[in-house]
Amino acid sequence: MDFKRSIQDCCKRERISQEMFCQRLGCTMSELRYAGNWSRIAHGAWVAFGAKLEGYEPRSSREERAWAEQLLPWIRRFPVKALQKRGLLPHGTCGAGSVRDVLRFMGVGGREGFDKTYAFTLDSVAPQVYAAWIRIGETLASADAAKSKSTFAVDKDLLARNLKTLTRNSGVGLRSAIAKALRDSGIGYIEVEPFIAAPYPTCASFWIGDAPFIQASTSRINDSVLLESICRTAWHIAAHPRRRSSFLVAPCNAPASPTQNTQDAEAQKFAGDLLLPEADECRLICCGRFEEDRCIRYFSRTLRVRPGILVERLQQQGKLPRRTLLNDFKVAV
């Protein structure tokens, strides 16, 4: 078996494309062609997947120790103890062993692979924590993706109609309704408990092969905030089906790039129009008595919109203060 054939077998076993294989190892497709890169690639495949590619030779203990010491400060930013508590990492390892354990769990060959695979988390306040949270969802989603043989093709109109049903004043069972609406649109839905090491994320999207998934946090959150985040994330999946781009809704510590700002502005407009169209928003604001709870109830019945959505929109427009008794209309789900 030659080196390239062993890569193909690894990709088949892990159910990933060669492009994703390179992304997780932090290399390029062109680097696979040159024998001078094979040793580094083989080591990355062993770390990420436990795969012994053709010609793989273990590094000396000295080389391995130097490699681990360089990564250890970065590795310590992962929620290692929380992952061990959940049984996702072994206890008692240290040094090079702990570095390999974390990278194996994340499915990356090193920091370069992490930066390429989870680039959408790098602007957040805790990239390693959020990436680990998403990795749990990826692991859970892999089984569902393996069962599905269909090719993903989202119908944007169908997605919009299904998401629109979530804005109605149904009262209970919102998370179950979200799961059904997304799955009816061809998008998988998973909920994962967040880590306490960072401010809770709201949701994220990722791809397993050709199958898109949206992952939501199990932490309690206002219905209007959850719905807006789900709609924004769904837009990113529907708008870029070939790019296989991922998206994260979580606190950030750096401003987004101009391209990201433009894309997220479009996503927010999509979410805003679904939750409360501009015409309905004007009707609500023109009422002029929206600070009264009876006004919120009236428009909730008339527009068939959850009252928490109305309160959140008025607060976003500066018509209501953030601290108001009308926040009681926001249902924690």
Side-chain angles (χ1 to χ4, degrees), residues 215-281:
Q215 176 176 322
S217 169
T218 58
S219 57
R220 302 284 283 179
I221 188 173
N222 291 333
D223 54 354
S224 57
V225 175
L226 177 61
L227 282 173
E228 182 181 1
S229 299
I230 291 291
C231 291
R232 285 171 58 194
T233 308
W235 179 90
H236 281 273
I237 290 175
H240 307 291
R242 294 185 181 276
R243 191 180 302 174
R244 301 293 189 266
S245 58
S246 300
F247 183 67
L248 172 68
V249 181
C252 294
N253 58 9
S257 67
T259 301
Q260 290 174 320
N261 281 330
T262 301
Q263 291 178 352
D264 204 34
E266 295 178 15
Q268 287 179 330
K269 185 179 186 306
F270 172 79
D273 290 344
L274 275 181
L275 297 181
L276 187 65
E278 187 176 352
D280 291 342
E281 180 182 324

Side-chain angles (χ1 to χ4, degrees), residues 40-151:
R40 175 173 58 85
I41 293 172
H43 179 263
W46 164 249
V47 171
F49 312 118
K52 293 185 178 181
L53 302 183
E54 184 71 15
Y56 166 74
E57 294 182 3
R59 291 179 175 177
S60 67
S61 58
R62 181 178 180 180
E63 290 176 324
E64 195 75 359
R65 186 165 56 251
W67 169 79
E69 288 176 353
Q70 186 177 12
L71 289 174
L72 199 54
W74 177 74
I75 287 290
R76 286 173 177 155
R77 298 178 185 175
F78 284 87
V80 175
K81 290 185 178 179
L83 289 169
Q84 290 173 337
K85 189 175 181 180
R86 297 189 190 189
L88 300 172
L89 286 180
H91 292 267
T93 55
C94 59
S98 64
V99 172
R100 282 195 302 270
D101 289 340
V102 171
L103 294 178
R104 180 75 56 83
F105 167 72
M106 294 302 300
V108 296
R111 186 163 184 174
E112 296 83 359
F114 176 89
D115 289 348
K116 284 190 173 184
T117 305
Y118 298 101
F120 59 100
T121 69
L122 297 181
D123 290 334
S124 66
V125 297
Q128 290 92 328
V129 176
Y130 293 142
W133 175 72
I134 292 169
R135 181 59 178 168
I136 295 175
E138 290 175 343
T139 304
L140 296 173
S142 293
D144 292 340
K147 297 175 185 176
S148 176
K149 302 298 182 182
S150 60
T151 301

